[in-house]
């Protein structure tokens, strides 16, 4: 039986290698979409406060539990602390808001979404916060260090409301610093990963530290076509001839090839699809494998192309430089 989970450090919790991503699922479609995803077999749901759909995500989860499709303990629910809530006093309220919106009493994995502390915006004025406060033209930062933020994340573990904590969009420098003071090592790092941006050294080093890696945007430019110039102009990965050739050879879809490429690196994936057939086929990546020649061909597609880049959205923040 193929391995379907990654065992997390500290808790030994089994994080599914494939989960369902909730970014850009409209809140109004969310209950049905998440319910369908769970029915299709997804057990990990990857959300975030900033996706502005946690109420719908929670309804979908609770509907599936109520109908007896799953028990709460069968699910692995992930959500993320947004940048405007990094200050010591804002972390627990932000976490509690996610919990309340989803109608849950604990989270399996809570991530710092970005290592970017942005000026607090009162949720009564705007919720969720954004990169740019309404009425401004660029990011306003806040003096709240990550070590303070991480200390508050650790208290969520002590209080048994978050089983695991982790980070997203951190690089090696940020992780090295965090390792010098943390009581609990991050369980996971979630970053953009696909054949156009493989981040081989980062992935291998992070895995060696006992931190599990999750890939987001496994289909490269596909989800950025309407968001930035890079997404619009890059050659789509899903129709790239190398990916298509391998797909034809295995009788699989290009999407399955890209997802399989990732899990063969022991990197979890969280594809999002609004289409039930694609949703199902994205899960079907365990009972077959890519050959070394396929992996080598996909590895040749590396071009350092990052699509979820703050600069590409017009912000003066070269975060990944
Ligand atoms: N931590 C972070 O900063 C961060 C950033 C970005 C994303 N994420 C997480 O990662 C998840 C996935 O990333 P993503 O949303 O960027 O996109 P993705 O899963 O890489 O791609 C989604 C796009 O691919 C299409 N698609 C899905 N399955 C397909 C298939 N089998 N064949 C052809 N097209 C397919 C979808 O269209 P249809 O819906 O029409 O199928 C959608 O346009 C997000 O939902 C979110 O949970 C995290």
């Amino acid at each position: 039986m193929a391995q379907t989970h990654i065992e997390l450090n500290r808790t030994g919790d089994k994080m599914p290698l494939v989960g369902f991503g909730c970014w850009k699922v409209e809140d109004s479609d969310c209950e049905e979409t998440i319910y369908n995803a769970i029915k299709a077999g997804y057990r990990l749901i990857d959300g975030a406060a900033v996706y502005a759909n946690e109420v719908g995500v929670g309804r979908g989860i609770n509907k599936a539990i109520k109908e007896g499709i799953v028990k709460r303990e069968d699910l692995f629910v992930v959500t993320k602390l947004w940048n405007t809530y990094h200050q010591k006093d804002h972390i627990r309220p932000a976490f509690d808001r996610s919990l309340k919106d989803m109608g849950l009493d604990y989270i399996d994995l809570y991530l710092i979404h970005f290592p970017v502390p942005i000026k607090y915006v009162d949720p009564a004025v705007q919720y969720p916060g954004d990169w740019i406060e309404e009425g401004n033209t660029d990011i306003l930062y806040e003096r709240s260090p990550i070590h303070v933020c991480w200390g508050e994340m650790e208290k969520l573990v002590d209080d048994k409301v978050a089983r695991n904590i982790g980070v997203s969009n951190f690089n090696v420098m940020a992780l090295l610093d965090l390792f010098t003071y943390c009581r609990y090592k991050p369980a996971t790092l979630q970053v953009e990963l696909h054949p156009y941006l493989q981040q081989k050294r980062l992935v291998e080093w992070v895995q060696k530290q006992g931190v599990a890696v999750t890939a987001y945007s496994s289909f490269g430019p596909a989800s950025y076509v309407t968001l930035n110039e890079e997404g619009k102009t890059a050659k789509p990965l899903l129709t790239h001839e190398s990916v298509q050739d391998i797909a034809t050879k295995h009788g699989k879809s290009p999407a399955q090839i890209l997802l399989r490429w990732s899990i063969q690196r022991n990197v979890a994936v969280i594809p999002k699809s609004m289409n039930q057939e694609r949703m199902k086929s994205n899960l079907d990546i365990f009972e077959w494998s890519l050959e070394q020649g396929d992996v080598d061909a996909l590895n040749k597609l590396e071009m350092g192309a990052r699509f979820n880049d703050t600069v590409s959205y017009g912000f003066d923040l070269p975060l990944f430089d």
Side-chain angles (χ1 to χ4, degrees):
M1 176 76 185
Q3 188 191 323
T4 56
H5 298 86
I6 301 179
E7 212 168 287
L8 299 183
N9 66 32
R10 196 178 58 79
T11 58
D13 282 359
K14 291 187 162 75
M15 180 176 81
L17 267 166
V18 184
F20 187 81
C22 299
W23 183 33
K24 292 197 253 139
V25 181
E26 290 293 324
D27 196 28
S28 53
D29 298 329
C30 224
E31 175 174 353
E32 194 61 14
T33 305
I34 298 306
Y35 172 76
N36 285 335
I38 295 172
K39 241 173 49 177
Y42 286 88
R43 294 295 175 263
L44 184 150
I45 306 297
D46 183 82
V50 78
Y51 301 161
N53 57 13
E54 291 196 302
V55 170
V57 169
R59 286 194 182 133
I61 289 174
N62 284 305
K63 185 175 170 193
I65 293 174
K66 203 167 153 204
E67 289 189 9
I69 298 169
V70 281
K71 298 196 188 75
R72 172 65 185 91
E73 58 269 30
D74 300 329
L75 293 175
F76 192 98
V77 180
V78 184
T79 187
K80 311 183 190 89
L81 175 77
W82 184 242
N83 306 340
T84 47
Y85 313 119
H86 273 215
Q87 221 181 68
K88 190 173 172 50
D89 296 340
H90 298 146
I91 293 153
R92 183 64 195 250
F95 176 85
D96 286 343
R97 172 73 187 257
S98 287
L99 215 53
K100 176 170 160 280
D101 281 357
M102 286 194 276
L104 299 176
D105 52 17
Y106 71 93
I107 295 296
D108 293 276
L109 174 64
Y110 196 49
L111 304 178
I112 299 181
H113 206 147
F114 283 90
V116 183
I118 293 184
K119 185 172 161 262
Y120 177 66
V121 177
D122 187 335
V125 176
Q126 186 190 349
Y127 187 83
D130 205 338
W131 282 100
I132 302 214
E133 198 180 326
E134 274 166 20
N136 281 284
T137 53
D138 212 342
I139 298 172
L140 302 175
Y141 297 100
E142 180 174 86
R143 284 167 63 94
S144 50
I146 293 291
H147 71 86
V148 173
C149 182
W150 190 252
E152 294 304 306
M153 299 281 288
E154 291 175 322
K155 285 186 196 158
L156 300 173
V157 172
D158 295 335
D159 292 347
K160 299 191 168 20
V161 285
R163 287 191 54 81
N164 302 279
I165 49 176
V167 295
S168 178
N169 298 301
F170 277 47
N171 65 5
V172 173
M173 270 194 269
L175 282 168
L176 260 186
D177 185 49
L178 199 154
F179 290 164
T180 64
Y181 54 75
C182 64
R183 281 193 297 130
Y184 305 135
K185 243 186 178 181
T188 72
L189 168 71
Q190 185 178 124
V191 285
E192 179 177 343
L193 288 173
H194 41 73
Y196 286 165
L197 180 72
Q198 300 175 21
Q199 308 204 64
K200 188 170 180 290
R201 295 192 308 190
L202 172 75
V203 170
E204 287 175 2
W205 184 82
V206 170
Q207 289 176 330
K208 259 191 251 157
Q209 311 311 309
V211 175
V213 179
T214 300
Y216 71 70
S217 303
S218 292
F219 307 141
S223 72
Y224 297 90
V225 174
T226 56
L227 291 181
N228 54 28
E229 211 38 45
E230 287 75 2
K232 206 178 295 168
T233 52
K235 186 179 172 70
L237 250 183
L238 287 163
T239 53
H240 193 290
E241 51 276 18
S242 299
V243 181
Q244 289 209 321
D245 287 350
I246 299 168
T248 307
K249 184 173 107 184
H250 288 273
K252 301 289 174 192
S253 72
Q256 288 172 313
I257 299 301
L258 295 171
L259 296 171
R260 180 74 212 179
W261 171 81
S262 191
I263 67 166
Q264 279 192 208
R265 310 167 85 191
N266 207 26
V267 168
V269 290
I270 42 176
K272 167 258 172 193
S273 179
M274 299 304 291
N275 173 287
Q276 286 196 48
E277 283 315 305
R278 293 198 282 275
M279 203 186 253
K280 277 189 202 140
S281 72
N282 290 345
L283 262 182
D284 178 18
I285 55 172
F286 290 102
E287 301 309 323
W288 54 279
S289 59
L290 296 172
E291 293 150 14
Q292 191 54 47
D294 305 327
V295 173
D296 293 344
L298 292 166
N299 288 350
K300 281 199 191 119
L301 304 185
E302 172 65 58
M303 51 181 196
R306 187 185 295 281
F307 298 101
N308 196 28
D309 181 1
T310 34
V311 173
S312 76
Y313 300 128
F315 310 144
D316 184 16
L317 174 62
L319 181 63
F320 298 98
D321 286 7

